Amino acid sequence: FEMTKIEGFRQKALPGLVGEAVRLPLRALATEDAFFSALAYRQELDALAYRQAVKEGLFMQPVEFAARRAELVSSPTEAMMEKARANAASQTFNTPLDTPFGRGIMQAANANVMTKMIAMFVRTPMRIIGYAGERSPLGLLGDEARANLSGVNGKIAQDTEAAKILLGSAVMATAASYAGQGLLTGSGPRTAEQKAVNFLLGVPPFSMKIGDYYYGYQRMGGPFGMLMGTAADAQHLFEVEASEKE
């Protein structure tokens, strides 16, 4: 694949064993990135091969269907490989920041040697935020999302876009419900006094209560943890405003 989490950064500033030890975390991250990219690539390739075999009218012919599907997976077209690469980049948060704002951020990060050291970690967090937004009601604001939902880009794109937004919205609705029952926390109170009270009560931020214990969810599922936290905060603000009106 063209890019990994380390953004193709290969300069070895520290030679020898010390340098290898320093670079070990980045190498591990790149290995993990390549592993999940390969999974996402093959996942999309299998789906495309399946759809193509169905389009060719082979679904009711199991032997021919399986053979055609295997043929397409082993010898995919350029269009299939392009879509599979795009899916791999999306699922591993490696999609290029192709908006003016995103390009500006990356240009600023690559401005000098010092900022280049952190540039490798810029795109992934921004893509995670975008990934979460695309799977929330805010996704309806995107031009591509609206085009997909209108059916302009085909039935598959329409169904996929609807599923993305509905799934994310369902996660947020469930999280808000749990937050209203005191089973889910967001970023927590705004004042230092209230934060201190929560600390003494053993109520940590971004956590889910299961039984008598709280378990952090912020790192669970990446974007979905972000959606849960946003919904919990929204529910908290709603309750605060409701109590103030009373």
Side-chain angles (χ1 to χ4, degrees):
F1 297 93
E2 297 178 2
M3 301 183 197
T4 67
K5 290 290 189 301
I6 62 172
E7 301 286 336
F9 187 77
R10 293 291 183 271
Q11 182 179 356
K12 295 185 177 181
L14 295 175
L17 292 177
V18 175
E20 292 299 324
V22 170
R23 287 187 291 273
L24 186 60
L26 292 180
R27 292 178 62 185
L29 187 61
T31 301
E32 177 191 34
D33 190 46
F35 175 76
F36 286 105
S37 291
L39 287 182
Y41 180 88
R42 181 56 185 261
Q43 175 191 47
E44 183 68 10
L45 204 59
D46 279 333
L48 293 171
Y50 184 97
R51 294 168 189 162
Q52 183 60 34
V54 170
K55 287 181 180 179
E56 294 176 3
L58 300 175
F59 187 72
M60 300 304 293
Q61 304 173 46
V63 176
E64 291 80 359
F65 180 83
R68 178 56 174 158
R69 183 179 175 186
E71 177 187 2
L72 289 169
V73 170
S74 61
S75 301
T77 64
E78 184 60 38
M80 291 174 64
M81 289 190 290
E82 182 62 29
K83 289 181 179 179
R85 283 192 290 266
N87 182 67
S90 174
Q91 295 301 319
T92 54
F93 314 118
N94 277 318
T95 305
L97 299 175
D98 53 3
T99 63
F101 176 74
R103 288 193 294 269
I105 291 293
M106 290 304 298
Q107 288 174 1
N110 285 299
N112 57 65
V113 175
M114 295 302 296
T115 55
K116 277 186 178 181
M117 296 297 293
I118 63 171
M120 62 186 74
F121 302 109
V122 170
R123 185 177 61 191
T124 299
M126 292 190 67
R127 285 307 304 148
I128 290 176
I129 294 173
Y131 193 97
E134 292 167 1
R135 284 155 181 78
S136 74
L138 292 177
L140 295 171
L141 300 177
D143 294 336
E144 183 178 358
R146 292 199 300 272
N148 288 339
L149 290 173
S150 69
V152 172
N153 297 325
K155 183 65 175 176
I156 294 174
Q158 184 181 45
D159 290 345
T160 301
E161 193 66 44
K164 284 163 53 177
I165 295 176
L166 288 174
L167 176 60
S169 299
V171 169
M172 295 185 73
T174 303
S177 175
Y178 282 168
Q181 300 174 57
L183 300 176
L184 194 78
T185 64
S187 58
R190 297 293 181 266
T191 65
E193 293 79 6
Q194 290 176 321
K195 287 180 181 294
V197 170
N198 274 17
F199 177 79
L200 293 174
L201 293 175
V203 182
F206 301 113
S207 300
M208 177 182 292
K209 186 177 183 181
I210 301 177
D212 296 327
Y213 300 95
Y214 283 90
Y215 300 89
Y217 64 80
Q218 194 173 16
R219 297 177 63 87
M220 180 188 70
F224 290 101
M226 186 177 297
L227 291 176
M228 292 168 65
T230 301
D233 282 341
Q235 177 65 26
H236 175 71
L237 291 175
F238 174 79
E239 292 174 353
V240 169
E241 290 185 3
S243 63
E244 290 177 351
K245 290 180 180 180
E246 293 177 356

